[in-house]
Amino acid sequence: MKNPSHTKEIHRLNRLIGQLEGIKRMIESGRYCPDILIQTKAIVSSIRSLETAILEKHIKCCVKNAIQSGTDGEEKVSELVNIFKTRIK
Amino acid sequence: MKNPSHTKEIHRLNRLIGQLEGIKRMIESGRYCPDILIQTKAIVSSIRSLETAILEKHIKCCVKNAIQSGTDGEEKVSELVNIFKTRIK
Amino acid sequence: MKNPSHTKEIHRLNRLIGQLEGIKRMIESGRYCPDILIQTKAIVSSIRSLETAILEKHIKCCVKNAIQSGTDGEEKVSELVNIFKTRIK
Amino acid sequence: MKNPSHTKEIHRLNRLIGQLEGIKRMIESGRYCPDILIQTKAIVSSIRSLETAILEKHIKCCVKNAIQSGTDGEEKVSELVNIFKTRIK
């Protein structure tokens, strides 16, 4: 049985796949390049939203619980700092 | 008949769709969030490569020809500057 | 008296100001644009490093302490998620 | 004598240096980290505007002229594509 809390993410991913299928059709029909780039930019934005949602859940549950329980708070904080280091723009 | 020059881009897009299907499976099986974020980062990198390839073709053919023929060089150059303005990191 | 823990950041900022003075000289002496862009890219990288250092301190002290003491952990976590939302690349 | 066309860029750079001096003061007086990050983000945006202005001049003069005159159009176009490759977000 599918975890109900994942429904939203799966829905976003299905929509992303639909957007990529749309770009395939644009390329196959020789559409104007700058128009294709507008669509790929929209896809990157959608992936960013998905990533932010995943990270938000991670910080609010996993990182917070680890710090509160005192089990592996240090490790989770270092891991989070590393995610920021590689993704900050 | 499919334009042979698009084969490479279509191949990249099919691989991207495969990567997104992989992320769906990761989410459905409750994989650790930072591991999912490593995969989404790889997808964003793949989209960037696709975009750069599309933009390269656009500059080397479309923009260059427009400037050489003197038809709508001004317009193509302004359009290119705008793409850069919205995409620079 | 200056807080000794800030010495490193102040040093980075002084170096950044020196880099910007260098770009002023490049522009004044009419240096080739792509060469100037290589220098501005280096400055953006330096600012990113500074930002990551600031954020690391913030997470490791401020956010962690707020979660552990239970005072305003919720607020600090939401604030952190918002920083990520606006800065993810 | 200073090239008048550079006045605007030099003005932007002086303002950027002023913004960095402001961040030094924020760090020295122990200001709240997320507030400092809002200011560093503003600086990155200012550098981006400067870079776009420099690139716009480069494309509209240098690249366009090289293509029109047929001297080193190929080279300028390749260089431009490389700038995009390293800077696209």
Side-chain angles (χ1 to χ4, degrees):
Chain A
M1 208 182 70
K2 199 177 290 181
N3 183 332
S5 73
H6 296 150
T7 314
K8 209 178 156 190
E9 276 81 7
I10 299 298
H11 179 71
R12 280 168 186 258
L13 282 161
N14 284 333
R15 206 173 40 201
L16 269 167
I17 291 168
Q19 286 177 286
L20 285 171
E21 296 287 357
I23 288 175
K24 269 171 69 176
R25 284 190 297 274
M26 287 181 91
I27 288 176
E28 281 169 348
S29 54
R31 290 279 297 277
Y32 187 53
C33 293
D35 291 342
I36 298 173
L37 291 173
I38 288 167
Q39 295 307 313
T40 54
K41 188 170 185 276
I43 289 176
V44 171
S45 296
S46 301
I47 296 177
R48 299 259 167 76
S49 300
L50 176 69
E51 289 181 313
T52 310
I54 290 171
L55 194 68
E56 183 165 4
K57 264 189 199 177
H58 178 62
I59 297 174
K60 291 195 173 169
C61 304
C62 193
V63 179
K64 207 179 144 193
N65 291 346
I67 292 173
Q68 281 174 335
S69 67
T71 48
D72 58 352
E74 292 292 330
E75 199 194 311
K76 286 282 173 292
V77 164
S78 295
E79 190 182 58
L80 185 63
V81 169
N82 272 325
I83 292 173
F84 277 109
K85 271 185 192 168
T86 55
R87 304 304 300 272
I88 196 169
K89 76 172 171 189
Chain B
M1 209 180 71
K2 199 178 289 179
N3 183 332
S5 72
H6 297 150
T7 314
K8 210 179 156 191
E9 275 82 6
I10 299 297
H11 179 70
R12 280 167 185 260
L13 282 161
N14 284 332
R15 208 172 40 202
L16 269 167
I17 290 168
Q19 286 175 286
L20 285 172
E21 296 286 359
I23 288 175
K24 269 170 69 177
R25 284 190 297 275
M26 288 181 90
I27 287 176
E28 281 168 349
S29 54
R31 289 282 295 281
Y32 186 52
C33 293
D35 291 342
I36 299 173
L37 290 174
I38 289 168
Q39 296 307 313
T40 53
K41 188 171 186 276
I43 289 176
V44 171
S45 297
S46 301
I47 296 177
R48 298 260 166 76
S49 300
L50 176 69
E51 289 181 313
T52 310
I54 290 171
L55 195 63
E56 183 165 4
K57 262 190 202 177
H58 178 63
I59 296 174
K60 290 194 174 170
C61 304
C62 195
V63 179
K64 206 179 144 192
N65 291 346
I67 292 172
Q68 282 174 333
S69 69
T71 47
D72 57 354
E74 292 291 330
E75 197 194 314
K76 287 281 174 290
V77 164
S78 296
E79 191 182 53
L80 185 64
V81 170
N82 272 326
I83 291 172
F84 197 79
K85 273 185 191 167
T86 57
R87 303 306 298 273
I88 195 173
K89 76 171 173 191
Chain C
M1 208 180 71
K2 201 177 286 181
N3 183 331
S5 74
H6 297 151
T7 314
K8 210 177 155 192
E9 276 81 6
I10 299 298
H11 180 71
R12 280 168 186 258
L13 281 162
N14 284 333
R15 206 173 41 204
L16 269 167
I17 290 168
Q19 286 177 286
L20 285 173
E21 297 286 358
I23 288 175
K24 269 170 69 176
R25 285 189 296 274
M26 288 182 89
I27 287 176
E28 282 170 347
S29 54
R31 289 281 298 276
Y32 187 51
C33 292
D35 291 343
I36 299 173
L37 290 173
I38 288 167
Q39 296 308 313
T40 53
K41 188 169 185 279
I43 289 176
V44 171
S45 297
S46 301
I47 296 177
R48 297 258 166 75
S49 300
L50 175 69
E51 289 181 312
T52 310
I54 291 171
L55 195 64
E56 183 165 4
K57 265 190 199 175
H58 178 63
I59 296 174
K60 290 195 172 169
C61 304
C62 192
V63 179
K64 207 180 145 193
N65 291 347
I67 292 173
Q68 281 174 334
S69 66
T71 48
D72 57 352
E74 292 291 331
E75 198 195 312
K76 286 281 175 290
V77 164
S78 295
E79 190 182 56
L80 185 64
V81 169
N82 272 327
I83 291 173
F84 197 78
K85 272 185 191 168
T86 56
R87 304 303 300 273
I88 194 172
K89 75 170 171 191
Chain D
M1 208 180 71
K2 199 177 291 180
N3 182 332
S5 74
H6 296 152
T7 314
K8 210 177 154 191
E9 277 81 7
I10 298 298
H11 180 71
R12 281 167 185 258
L13 283 161
N14 284 333
R15 208 171 41 202
L16 269 167
I17 290 168
Q19 286 177 285
L20 285 172
E21 296 285 0
I23 288 175
K24 269 171 69 177
R25 284 189 298 272
M26 288 181 90
I27 288 176
E28 281 170 347
S29 54
R31 289 282 297 278
Y32 187 53
C33 293
D35 291 343
I36 299 173
L37 290 173
I38 288 167
Q39 296 307 312
T40 53
K41 188 171 186 277
I43 289 176
V44 172
S45 296
S46 301
I47 296 177
R48 299 262 163 75
S49 299
L50 175 69
E51 288 180 313
T52 310
I54 291 171
L55 194 67
E56 183 165 5
K57 262 190 199 174
H58 178 63
I59 297 174
K60 291 195 172 169
C61 305
C62 193
V63 180
K64 207 179 143 191
N65 291 347
I67 293 173
Q68 282 175 334
S69 68
T71 48
D72 58 353
E74 291 293 327
E75 198 195 313
K76 286 281 173 292
V77 164
S78 296
E79 190 183 54
L80 185 64
V81 170
N82 273 325
I83 293 173
F84 277 108
K85 272 185 191 167
T86 56
R87 304 304 299 272
I88 196 168
K89 77 171 173 193

